[in-house]
Amino acid sequence: MTAPTRRWAESGLAHLTGEPDGPPDFSRSRILERADQAAAPFGVDAALLLAGRAGLTGTSRAGRTSVGGSTRLMRCRDTWCVFTLARPSDLAVIGALLETGEAIDDPWQLLADAAADREAAELVERGRLLGMPCAVLNSHGGEPVVSQQLWSARAPRPVDPGLLVVDLSAMWAGPLCGHLLRALGATVIKVESPDRADGARFGNADFFEWMNGGKLQFSAPVSRESPVLAALLDAADVVIEASRPRALEQAGLAAATRAPRPGRVWVRITGYGAGQDERDRVAFGDDAAAAGGLVGTGTQGPIFCGDAIADPLTGLEAAHAVLESLGRGGGEVLDVAMAGVAARYAAIPLAPVGSDAAVSAPPVPSIVRHPVKTVDAHWVRKLVDERSGLC
C-alpha cells in the first residue's frame, strides 16, 4: 500500500469519494500531499479541514450526487455538466432553464432528462444567465491565485494579535481562511449584515462554531450607509470577502475605494476569478470542483471527490496566500478562484482507483465553545482611532 493510499483511507476522504453502493475511490489520493504542505504553517491537519464537516454531519459518499445532496453530475449529449440546486432561487428558475411552463414535481429528473438531449455548454450557459451555479466538467483551468499590487508594501510582518483581519465572508472558504489566521494569533472580526446573516448559521451549529468561534462579531449593513464599516476596512491589515465583486462595488466598499494602507492584503474569493466574464458567476464547492476537473473516477463516469472540496481547499490556499503576501510586504489584492484552486489540485497525477485499505470515517473536529464576543460601533470607532497612526 502506498503512503498516499494509506493517508486517503485514514483521512475519511475515501469514505466520501466513490459510488454509494460500491468501493471507495482512491484516484485523487495524491492531492493530500499538496494540501498538507499548504496546511503546515498553520499546524493543522489538512485532512481534518477537508473531511471535518462530513464528520460533523455524518454524511457519506453518493457518487454523482454530492455528499451534501444539493449538487449533481449529469451526462449531456457530448460531455458531463454539474448543477447545484441549493437555493430556492435555483429551483424557481428550472422552468425557465428548460423552457417549460408545466408543474415540476421532480426537478432533478427533469433536468437530467433534458441534459441528455443537449450540449453541455449550451445548457450551462443558459443556467449561468439565470444565475444558477453550474458548469461544464473540467471547463476551467485558470490560475488559483492572482495578485495585484494596489497599495505600497511594508516590511514583512508576522501573524500576531496586532494583525487585524476583517472577515466579510460567509459559509466555508472565506471563514476557513479567517479561522486559520486566527489560529496563528490574528485578531479577526467577523462582519455580518443584520438583514443577511451567514448562511452557515442555519446549518450544523458545530460547523459554524468550528469556522467562526473566537472571532469578534460585528453587525453592520454592508452598504454605503455604514461609515463605521468603511472605517474598519480602512484600518484593517487583512480583509476577506467572498461576495460577488459587484456587491461591494455598489456598496462603495470595494478594495479600490479604500484609503491607502501600506501592507494591506485584501482577499477576494470568487467562483471563477475576477475577470470581467466570470467575476459575478455563482459557485458552490461541489460545482466549482467539477468545473476545475477535481472529480473522482467511477465505474460509469465521474463522481464527486470529497465534500464540497473546492471550499476547504480554497480557504486553505487563501490563508496560505495571505501568509506569502505578508511575507513579501503585502499591499496586494489576492483574487482566489475556487475553480482555479480545484484545477490546481486536479492537475496532480491520478493514483490507482481501487485499494483494499481499511477506510476510516471522516474525523470529527474537536469543537471549543468560545464565549460569543459581540462588538458594537462605539468599540469599532475606538479601535479605528487607536490604529489611525499605525502603518
Side-chain angles (χ1 to χ4, degrees):
M1 186 191 309
T2 66
T5 297
R6 182 181 298 107
R7 178 100 168 93
W8 191 254
E10 295 172 350
S11 70
L13 286 162
H15 180 84
L16 299 174
T17 309
E19 292 164 343
D21 300 322
D25 171 42
F26 287 78
S27 62
R28 292 295 180 181
S29 59
R30 290 175 176 149
I31 70 172
L32 269 177
E33 183 177 3
R34 162 75 204 190
D36 285 335
Q37 292 171 354
F42 303 99
V44 296
D45 181 1
L48 180 65
L49 298 182
L50 301 187
R53 186 177 77 161
L56 291 170
T57 57
T59 44
S60 184
R61 60 185 180 271
R64 282 185 289 281
T65 296
S66 65
V67 167
S70 296
T71 308
R72 296 194 187 184
L73 282 157
M74 289 171 290
R75 189 71 168 90
C76 292
R77 194 161 55 199
D78 55 340
T79 186
W80 294 84
C81 72
V82 60
F83 273 79
T84 294
L85 303 181
R87 307 167 299 173
S89 60
D90 301 321
L91 293 168
V93 297
I94 289 290
L97 173 71
L98 304 180
E99 301 176 274
T100 178
E102 298 180 7
I104 299 174
D105 296 323
D106 186 344
W108 281 121
Q109 188 60 56
L110 188 65
L111 186 52
D113 291 343
D117 292 328
R118 304 196 186 195
E119 301 285 323
E122 172 196 352
L123 184 63
V124 166
E125 180 59 23
R126 188 169 179 83
R128 286 182 56 186
L129 292 174
L130 292 168
M132 303 180 74
C134 55
V136 177
L137 176 65
N138 200 22
S139 59
H140 185 87
E143 289 295 319
V145 182
V146 176
S147 62
Q148 173 193 359
Q149 197 77 34
L150 190 60
W151 306 286
S152 61
R154 53 165 289 169
R157 62 174 304 175
V159 177
D160 56 28
L163 188 80
L164 177 61
V165 179
V166 177
D167 183 0
L168 300 172
S169 67
M171 300 303 285
W172 196 349
L176 174 56
C177 177
H179 165 81
L180 292 172
L181 295 175
R182 181 193 168 276
L184 286 185
T187 298
V188 182
I189 300 178
K190 179 176 178 62
V191 178
E192 291 181 83
S193 178
D195 60 352
R196 189 171 186 178
D198 184 342
R201 286 190 180 276
F202 308 109
N204 184 281
D206 285 339
F207 175 71
F208 182 85
E209 180 68 23
W210 183 31
M211 290 295 101
N212 297 291
K215 298 176 183 178
L216 303 176
Q217 309 285 321
F218 179 49
S219 177
V222 183
S223 71
R224 294 182 184 274
E225 284 70 51
S226 186
V228 176
L229 177 56
L232 179 61
L233 295 177
D234 286 341
D237 299 304
V238 177
V239 175
I240 304 167
E241 52 128 324
S243 57
R244 299 189 207 181
R246 187 183 304 168
L248 282 190
E249 289 170 2
Q250 292 175 341
L253 298 172
T257 68
R258 305 305 350 123
R261 183 172 186 81
R264 179 191 290 130
V265 179
W266 192 292
V267 183
R268 289 193 301 220
I269 296 175
T270 61
Y272 295 89
Q276 197 61 40
D277 294 337
E278 305 279 16
R279 62 202 307 263
D280 287 314
R281 186 175 173 185
V282 182
F284 289 88
D286 286 302
D287 51 85
L294 186 55
V295 291
T297 304
T299 57
Q300 297 180 19
I303 53 177
F304 285 104
C305 175
D307 174 22
I309 199 164
D311 265 314
L313 286 178
T314 297
L316 177 58
E317 291 288 334
H320 196 266
V322 170
L323 294 189
E324 292 182 332
S325 181
L326 291 172
R328 57 180 176 259
E332 297 178 318
V333 173
L334 305 176
D335 283 305
V336 186
M338 294 171 66
V341 170
R344 166 183 279 179
Y345 281 82
I348 296 170
L350 293 173
V353 173
S355 171
D356 58 359
V359 172
S360 299
V364 179
S366 177
I367 305 299
V368 178
R369 293 287 175 185
H370 297 85
V372 177
K373 185 172 181 180
T374 302
V375 298
D376 59 16
H378 175 75
W379 186 94
V380 170
R381 289 191 191 97
K382 183 178 178 182
L383 174 69
V384 169
D385 290 343
E386 291 172 351
R387 295 178 59 84
S388 61
L390 298 178
C391 291

